[in-house]
């Protein structure tokens, strides 16, 4: 990715460039500000356009969110600010908001005739820089340029700060980042950003950094790389400097990474914090299309990639998953053992979790659940690693499952069903796995990968005998992903799908086993660690998180079945996915939900569901919003998955699961229902 | 009628619309946006509003006519109508929409039907009034005069 796509090169380039460098607003500014207006109401659109023109802005209007997104993507630096309506038929305004924030990092103003407090609050939590009530008066539009300036200023500060990439700075930065996340947790990322800025200001600035670097556009690829790096490092340990090193992108500065990390954490937090109904959010999250999965390879060949391919998960999310997964998988090799067992657990139940892992792991059972392969995106590297490991042991099962990820939640669902078996881990997983992976992969991957990944999980779940049975039909699905797997790897996961997936897969399996086995708490713990990592990654890799969450979810689901063991891992996943799920739960099959719910970390309550959700979410939303899946079932997992939340959350979640929270998982993962809301347990 | 007289008549007429609450300050905003580069801006926007509203009203009527009424969908339509009517300054239409949404929330079919009638009534009223207003403007322009800017202080 070429981060040099700075906004500076805008058409009104001269002004912006000058402005940037000197941090002084050129005289003609804000004239020429390039605004993109999105509203499905033609009357309002025309009026807004006229008003903005009167303010001497350059206006582009469109009445469809998808068109807006493609416009933004085509002209990476073609716009300065976006104004979007909240209620639109083709896409929720908040979802669009998230996408834009993630992909292009532009200030977005929301507007609506609805002035209810909840809606406005939603705007705030989703990162809107302002909220206008209709009818919009021209006076309100005259000052929108302030948001552009403010954002630039903050970034500039970042740039300056990063200029001095000395240890001192670095040290500061990490702490800042950490602080950020915590402050972000508080819910106001803006303020945290401010805090960061303040801190940065306090730090010495190198002369070299005085120049404002061109705006970095976080493309899907780049984001996936980022997510992969984060996952690899572990959410808690992911500091900008290290992430930067891992990403190895020329021209990218630590500040760029730091601010992106900040947002990512916020995003994760939001995902976990937002109730499941935020599914929509998740989706928008990842729609990477080109994520190059670097880390995938580390997964050891997990078929994550294939999963990714098959999964419809958006390449990017998959990539993220993979990245995350990969990061993890490599690190987690140690966990393998427990994973394997756990995988089974998860695979059945957490189609989602399985996502990357599940498939791999539990697929080993017999089913070549390629589903998970694809799903690694959210599966945090750790998970993937575990998945990987288990997957490897499982053999093809998981992988196949993953592949299905793309398939769509249905696949995951299927995966989930196998889980009903209870012991899916290996025996049933074989059979189940196919199912799960598909289902799992799907929800999680949303892009498709999820289906695959989840599928895996689902499969493993079967072994567990937990409620996953629901997924019986998934088996068919699993096969589906298989075909797709190839596709997935190719593009669905921009995240680096391959790595992600594998990691995911590994993770999935890990979880599954954990869950199903519950018994092996030790094993579980191991997985837990992974999850923690994942967790970390999760925060960073939004996408991955989703996946991870899913995985967790699935895992949770499984564990619920009675294997608390899994929970920790599951939780982890769920945690991740939970955040993601929120947005995604909507669509994700219940499986995903179940799984995710657990993941949400906050709510692990239904880890199982979470798992399911994961799947669901993944599948449904292209963005690997794993998190959304609040898997209501994953009761056991419920606590575990706070992946999004960061490791601490994850840990607690996992612990909780272990404690026995997982029990319902089994029942809950009743993948059959795949109803996002309730995974019939 | 000579131009001066027509202009006075137009001013009085417009003022009455504001007094009766049929139009609100947002309409003034629209008028202020009109300039030489866009001399028919208000007419264009209002025409867009009419077309869009008629479609919405039809959709709502159809939805209410179903065996199983989908209140969510109706609410979405009404919300949109509320947004666009408020953007052009059709105050009474907007208010009727607000009331309508309450009934939708309660899933009250009968109340919704009544609200729909109310909204339609207000819509037709504002449509007639605005068409008359535009006609008056056209007459002035045809007679060689210019349409005076509405003063917001009334």
């Amino acid at each position: 990715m070429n981060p040099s796509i700075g906004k500076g090169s805008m058409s009104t380039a001269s002004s912006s460039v000058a402005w940037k460098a000197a941090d002084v607003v050129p005289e003609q500014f804000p004239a020429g500000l390039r605004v993109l207006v999105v509203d499905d109401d033609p009357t309002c659109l025309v009026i807004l356009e006229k008003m903005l023109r009167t303010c001497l802005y350059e206006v582009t209007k469109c009445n469809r969110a998808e068109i807006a997104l493609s416009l933004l993507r085509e002209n990476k630096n073609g716009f300065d600010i976006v104004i979007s309506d909240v209620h639109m038929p083709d896409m929720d305004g908040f979802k669009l908001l998230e996408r834009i924030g993630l992909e292009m990092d532009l200030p977005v103003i929301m507007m609506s005739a609805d002035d209810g407090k909840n809606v406005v609050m939603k705007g705030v939590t989703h990162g809107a820089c302002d909220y206008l009530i209709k009818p919009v008066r021209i006076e309100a539009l005259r000052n929108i340029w302030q948001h552009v300036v403010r954002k630039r200023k903050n970034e500039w500060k970042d740039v300056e700060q990063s200029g001095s990439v000395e240890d001192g700075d670095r040290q500061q930065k990490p702490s800042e980042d950490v602080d950020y996340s915590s402050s972000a947790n508080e819910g106001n990322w803006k303020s945290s950003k401010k805090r960061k800025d303040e801190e940065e200001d306090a730090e010495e600035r190198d002369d070299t950094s005085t120049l404002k670097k061109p705006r970095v556009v976080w493309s899907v690829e780049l984001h996936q790389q980022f997510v992969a790096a984060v996952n690899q490092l572990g959410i808690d340990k992911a500091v900008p400097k290290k992430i930067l090193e891992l990403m190895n992108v020329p021209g990218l500065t630590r500040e760029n990474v730091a601010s992106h990390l900040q947002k990512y954490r916020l995003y994760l937090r939001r995902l976990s914090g937002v109730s499941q109904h935020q599914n929509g959010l998740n989706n928008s999250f990842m729609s990477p299309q080109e994520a190059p999965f670097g880390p995938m390879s580390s997964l050891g060949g997990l078929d994550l990639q294939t999963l990714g391919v098959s999964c419809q998960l958006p390449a990017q999310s998959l990539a993220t998953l993979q990245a995350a997964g990969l990061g993890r998988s490599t690190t987690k090799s140690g966990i393998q053992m427990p994973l394997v067992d756990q995988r089974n657990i998860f695979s059945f139940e957490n189609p989602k979790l399985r996502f990357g892992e599940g498939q791999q792991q539990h697929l080993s059972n017999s089913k070549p659940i390629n589903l998970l392969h694809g799903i690694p995106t959210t599966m945090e590297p750790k998970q993937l690693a575990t998945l990987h490991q288990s997957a490897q042991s499982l053999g093809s099962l998981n992988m196949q499952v993953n592949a299905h990820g793309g398939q769509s939640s249905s696949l995951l669902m299927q995966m989930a069903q196998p889980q009903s078996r209870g012991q899916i881990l290996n025996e049933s997983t074989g059979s189940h796995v196919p199912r799960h992976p598909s289902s799992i992969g799907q929800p999680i991957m949303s892009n498709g990968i999820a289906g695959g990944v989840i599928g895996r999980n689902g499969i493993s779940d079967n072994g567990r005998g937990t409620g996953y049975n629901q997924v019986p039909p998934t088996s068919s699905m699993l096969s589906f992903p298989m075909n797709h797997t190839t596709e997935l790897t190719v593009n669905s996961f921009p995240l680096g799908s391959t790595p992600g997936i594998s990691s995911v897969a590994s993770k999935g399996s890990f979880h599954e086993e954990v869950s199903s086995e519950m018994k092996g708490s030790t094993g579980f713990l191991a997985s837990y660690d992974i999850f923690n990592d994942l967790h970390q990654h999760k925060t960073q890799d939004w996408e991955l998180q989703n996946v991870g969450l899913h995985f967790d979810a699935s895992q949770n689901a499984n564990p619920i079945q009675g294997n608390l063991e899994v929970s920790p891992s599951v939780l982890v996943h769920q945690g991740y996915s939970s955040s993601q799920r929120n947005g995604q739960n909507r669509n994700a099959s219940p499986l995903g939900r179940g799984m995710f719910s657990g993941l949400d970390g906050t709510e692990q309550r239904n880890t199982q569901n979470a798992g399911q959700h994961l799947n669901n979410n993944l599948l449904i939303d292209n963005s690997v919003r794993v998190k959304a899946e609040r898997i209501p079932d994953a009761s056991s997992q419920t606590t575990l998955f706070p992946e999004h939340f960061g490791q601490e959350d994850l840990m607690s979640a996992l612990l909780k699961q272990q404690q026995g929270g997982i029990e319902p998982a089994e029942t809950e993962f009743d993948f059959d229902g795949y109803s996002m809301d309730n995974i019939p347990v | 009628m000579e131009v001066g007289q027509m202009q006075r008549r137009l001013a009085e007429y417009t003022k009455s619309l504001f007094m009766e609450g049929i139009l609100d300050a947002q309409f003034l905003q629209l008028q202020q946006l009109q300039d030489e580069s866009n001399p028919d801006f208000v007419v264009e926007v209002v025409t867009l509003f009419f077309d869009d509203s008629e479609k919405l009203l039809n959709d709502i009527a159809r939805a209410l006519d179903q065996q199983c009424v989908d209140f969510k969908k109706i609410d979405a339509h009404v919300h949109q109508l509320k947004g666009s009517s408020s953007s052009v300054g059709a105050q009474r239409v907007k208010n009727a929409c607000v009331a309508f949404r309450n009934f939708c929330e309660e899933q009250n079919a009968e109340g919704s039907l009544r609200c729909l009638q109310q909204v339609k009534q207000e819509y037709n009223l504002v449509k007639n009034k605005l068409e008359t207003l535009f006609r008056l403007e056209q007459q002035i322009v045809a007679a060689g005069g210019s349409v005076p800017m509405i003063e917001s202080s009334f």
Side-chain angles (χ1 to χ4, degrees):
Chain A
M1 163 129 167
N2 184 358
S4 60
I5 318 184
K7 280 244 163 211
S9 48
M10 303 182 276
S11 52
T12 40
S14 52
S15 57
S16 30
V17 170
W19 177 48
K20 277 201 185 124
D23 198 21
V24 165
V25 177
E27 274 181 42
Q28 77 209 61
F29 187 86
L33 196 73
R34 295 162 307 168
V35 187
L36 176 66
V37 184
V38 190
D39 193 341
D40 64 319
D41 183 347
T43 313
C44 294
L45 205 57
V46 166
I47 295 174
L48 276 167
E49 184 192 24
K50 185 77 176 98
M51 285 181 173
L52 289 164
R53 289 247 160 84
T54 306
C55 296
L56 300 180
Y57 296 151
E58 257 185 50
V59 189
T60 307
K61 61 181 196 295
C62 66
N63 59 357
R64 283 265 176 276
E66 291 296 346
I67 298 177
L69 272 175
S70 57
L71 271 176
L72 287 165
R73 287 185 189 131
E74 282 163 28
N75 312 304
K76 288 273 160 80
N77 287 307
F79 297 98
D80 297 313
I81 189 166
V82 180
I83 301 180
S84 170
D85 188 33
V86 167
H87 299 278
M88 289 190 285
D90 66 332
M91 185 192 291
D92 183 33
F94 293 114
K95 202 164 114 160
L96 177 66
L97 163 61
E98 280 193 354
R99 285 243 183 112
I100 295 177
L102 279 173
E103 290 183 33
M104 295 109 200
D105 191 26
L106 285 178
V108 182
I109 296 178
M110 301 304 292
M111 66 178 171
S112 175
D114 202 345
D115 58 353
K117 184 181 143 203
N118 295 337
V119 189
V120 179
M121 178 60 85
K122 246 180 127 180
V124 172
T125 55
H126 284 74
C129 59
D130 204 353
Y131 190 102
L132 303 176
I133 309 290
K134 285 185 183 177
V136 180
R137 293 174 64 84
I138 195 169
E139 291 81 25
L141 295 175
R142 276 198 210 282
N143 287 334
I144 62 173
W145 59 265
Q146 63 173 292
H147 302 295
V148 180
V149 177
R150 192 178 292 118
K151 210 174 178 92
R152 298 265 176 84
K153 203 158 187 291
N154 290 339
E155 283 177 2
W156 186 65
K157 275 191 192 165
D158 287 346
V159 172
E160 281 200 338
Q161 287 298 315
S162 60
S164 57
V165 184
E166 306 306 347
D167 292 342
D169 277 357
R170 214 175 336 159
Q171 277 146 26
Q172 282 166 348
K173 281 297 161 66
S175 57
E176 287 172 5
D177 291 334
V178 172
D179 289 344
Y180 249 132
S181 48
S182 50
S183 59
N185 275 330
E186 259 118 52
N188 187 354
W189 82 275
K190 273 198 187 162
S191 61
S192 48
K193 190 171 168 75
K194 205 149 79 136
R195 202 155 69 102
K196 190 174 181 199
D197 291 338
E198 287 164 16
E199 288 174 345
E200 289 178 26
D201 287 349
E203 290 166 35
E204 47 183 280
R205 301 201 192 188
D206 278 6
D207 298 337
T208 53
S209 60
T210 46
L211 268 186
K212 184 169 169 86
K213 300 224 164 91
R215 182 196 199 87
V216 174
V217 174
W218 284 88
S219 69
V220 171
E221 291 172 6
L222 195 63
H223 183 68
Q224 284 180 349
Q225 273 181 275
F226 170 81
V227 173
V230 169
N231 288 338
Q232 196 171 326
L233 291 167
I235 280 285
D236 288 346
K237 300 202 198 62
V239 293
K241 188 157 184 13
K242 294 213 182 106
I243 298 174
L244 186 68
E245 283 164 10
L246 273 176
M247 286 176 70
N248 194 25
V249 171
L252 194 64
T253 68
R254 196 168 63 75
E255 273 60 30
N256 298 142
V257 174
S259 62
H260 195 70
L261 175 66
Q262 202 182 86
K263 289 194 207 103
Y264 189 63
R265 287 221 178 100
L266 266 172
Y267 171 80
L268 292 176
R269 267 187 217 297
R270 193 185 41 241
L271 287 177
S272 44
V274 174
S275 55
Q276 298 91 24
H277 53 261
Q278 294 302 348
N279 298 337
L281 291 176
N282 296 329
N283 296 329
S284 55
F285 190 19
M286 318 264 223
S287 48
Q289 266 112 33
E290 8 338 339
F293 256 132
M296 277 294 287
S297 48
S298 57
L299 283 180
L302 280 182
D303 295 314
L304 288 177
Q305 306 195 337
T306 44
L307 284 177
V309 173
S310 51
C311 293
Q312 314 214 326
L313 287 179
Q316 297 182 346
S317 48
L318 192 49
T320 358
L321 284 172
Q322 290 180 342
L326 288 179
R328 308 257 180 118
S329 50
T330 47
T331 52
K332 298 312 175 173
S333 47
I335 310 205
Q336 299 148 4
M337 272 317 273
L339 288 179
V340 175
D341 293 334
Q342 299 179 345
R343 282 188 308 179
N344 294 330
I345 303 180
F346 288 114
S347 48
F348 291 112
E349 305 202 312
N350 304 316
K352 297 199 210 196
L353 290 179
R354 306 307 186 117
F355 219 43
E357 304 174 345
Q359 300 191 345
Q360 299 181 357
Q361 298 176 350
H362 76 174
L363 286 180
S364 58
N365 292 333
S366 47
K367 286 198 165 238
I369 304 205
N370 299 321
L371 292 177
L372 292 179
H373 298 310
I375 312 191
T377 43
T378 46
M379 293 269 295
E380 304 211 317
K382 263 198 304 212
Q383 294 175 344
L384 285 177
T386 36
L387 281 178
H388 193 54
Q389 314 206 335
S390 45
Q392 310 212 341
S393 53
L394 284 180
S396 50
L397 278 181
N398 295 333
M399 304 296 273
Q400 293 169 5
V401 172
N402 292 332
H404 295 293
Q407 298 305 328
S408 57
S409 48
S410 54
L411 285 177
L412 288 173
M413 303 286 283
Q414 298 183 344
M415 293 274 301
Q417 300 190 352
Q419 301 184 345
S420 49
R421 301 319 159 75
Q423 282 322 306
I424 317 187
L425 291 187
N426 294 312
E427 331 69 61
S428 40
T429 44
S431 55
H432 300 301
V433 170
R435 276 218 295 228
H436 288 300
S438 45
S439 48
I440 305 187
Q442 301 189 342
I444 310 187
M445 310 250 280
S446 67
N447 289 322
I449 303 188
V453 171
I454 303 188
R456 281 223 322 190
N457 292 330
I459 304 191
S460 45
D461 289 330
N462 293 324
R464 295 226 255 168
T466 49
Y468 287 122
N469 291 306
Q470 321 161 355
V471 186
T474 50
S475 46
S476 53
M477 305 233 341
L478 289 179
S479 51
F480 184 65
M482 312 265 307
N483 305 327
H484 295 280
T485 45
T486 47
E487 297 160 10
L488 281 175
T489 48
V490 176
N491 24 73
S492 34
F493 304 97
L495 290 178
S497 44
T498 38
I501 306 191
S502 42
S503 49
V504 167
S506 51
K507 292 213 234 184
S509 46
F510 178 71
H511 295 301
E512 299 176 325
E513 300 186 322
V514 174
S515 50
S516 53
E517 300 193 351
M518 302 275 280
K519 59 228 180 178
S521 47
T522 50
F524 180 68
L525 290 174
S527 55
Y528 178 65
D529 294 340
I530 302 185
F531 286 114
N532 283 333
D533 285 355
L534 289 179
H535 221 16
Q536 301 179 344
H537 295 304
K538 284 252 172 151
T539 48
Q540 292 164 13
D541 307 322
W542 289 298
E543 298 170 345
L544 281 175
Q545 296 195 334
N546 290 328
V547 173
L549 283 178
H550 296 296
F551 294 113
D552 290 329
S554 48
Q555 304 205 344
N556 288 331
N558 295 324
I560 300 195
Q561 299 185 348
N563 309 332
L564 287 179
E565 308 172 333
V566 176
S567 34
S569 52
V570 171
L571 289 177
V572 170
H573 288 307
Q574 297 209 344
Y576 292 108
S577 43
S578 47
S579 46
Q580 298 174 344
R581 279 193 309 210
N582 293 331
Q584 299 176 336
N585 280 323
R586 301 184 285 150
N587 309 311
S589 48
L591 288 181
R593 260 213 297 220
M595 299 210 286
F596 292 111
S597 49
L599 292 178
D600 274 17
T602 46
E603 303 120 357
Q604 300 255 327
R605 48 197 198 178
N606 305 306
T607 44
Q608 293 162 355
N609 295 330
Q612 296 186 346
H613 290 300
L614 283 176
N615 294 327
N616 295 333
N617 292 336
L618 289 176
L619 294 178
I620 308 221
D621 302 327
N622 284 325
S623 47
V624 186
R625 296 262 188 152
V626 174
K627 77 162 184 171
E629 318 257 18
R630 288 251 182 175
I631 310 193
D633 305 333
S635 44
S636 52
Q637 304 175 339
T638 47
T639 49
L640 298 176
F641 298 111
E643 287 194 340
H644 296 297
F645 302 126
Q647 297 190 331
E648 316 74 54
D649 297 333
L650 209 53
M651 288 290 286
S652 53
L654 286 173
L655 289 173
K656 275 205 247 174
Q657 273 194 349
Q658 290 185 334
Q659 272 143 32
I662 315 202
E663 63 303 317
E666 299 190 332
T667 50
E668 297 186 326
F669 275 102
D670 195 10
F671 287 103
D672 283 341
Y674 297 119
S675 43
M676 294 283 297
D677 307 323
N678 346 275
I679 302 216
V681 171
Chain B
M1 194 187 289
E2 47 106 22
V3 174
Q5 251 183 304
M6 285 195 276
Q7 284 171 333
R8 267 191 307 276
R9 206 166 67 148
L10 174 65
E12 288 295 323
Y13 188 72
T14 313
K15 194 163 163 183
S16 71
L17 294 184
F18 283 104
M19 295 300 229
E20 289 169 34
I22 297 175
L23 292 178
D24 64 20
Q26 190 66 19
F27 188 75
L28 284 180
Q29 290 249 323
L30 290 191
Q31 289 191 317
Q32 281 163 6
L33 284 173
Q34 185 162 291
D35 53 22
E36 304 80 42
S37 66
N38 232 264
D40 299 315
F41 178 69
V42 182
V43 176
E44 284 170 9
V45 173
V46 172
T47 308
L48 252 177
F49 168 67
F50 289 158
D51 293 341
D52 198 36
S53 303
E54 264 148 47
K55 225 186 309 152
L56 283 170
L57 287 170
N58 284 339
D59 289 345
I60 295 172
R62 224 175 315 129
L64 276 174
D65 218 13
Q66 303 295 313
Q67 272 282 23
C68 193
V69 182
D70 184 352
F71 282 100
K72 274 196 158 257
K73 192 154 85 129
I74 293 176
D75 184 69
H77 287 320
V78 177
H79 177 78
Q80 168 133 346
L81 184 60
K82 174 186 165 199
S84 53
S85 59
S86 67
S87 294
V88 300
Q91 189 176 263
R92 302 237 286 240
V93 176
K94 180 193 78 177
N95 291 340
C97 287
V98 173
F100 196 157
R101 290 192 83 197
N102 289 335
F103 282 102
C104 284
E105 248 177 84
E106 297 168 15
Q107 309 235 336
N108 184 335
E110 199 187 298
S112 296
L113 266 169
R114 267 183 283 123
C115 273
L116 176 63
Q117 291 315 310
Q118 185 76 15
V119 173
K120 274 191 170 169
Q121 218 176 299
E122 294 296 346
Y123 167 74
N124 286 325
L125 180 65
V126 75
K127 183 160 189 255
N128 282 336
K129 296 284 186 182
L130 283 173
E131 282 172 347
T132 305
L133 190 135
F134 293 146
R135 220 175 12 253
L136 287 176
E137 284 183 349
Q138 277 165 14
Q139 284 171 1
I140 293 172
V141 174
S146 60
V147 179
M149 264 297 211
I150 292 270
E151 284 163 48
S152 39
S153 55
F154 52 72

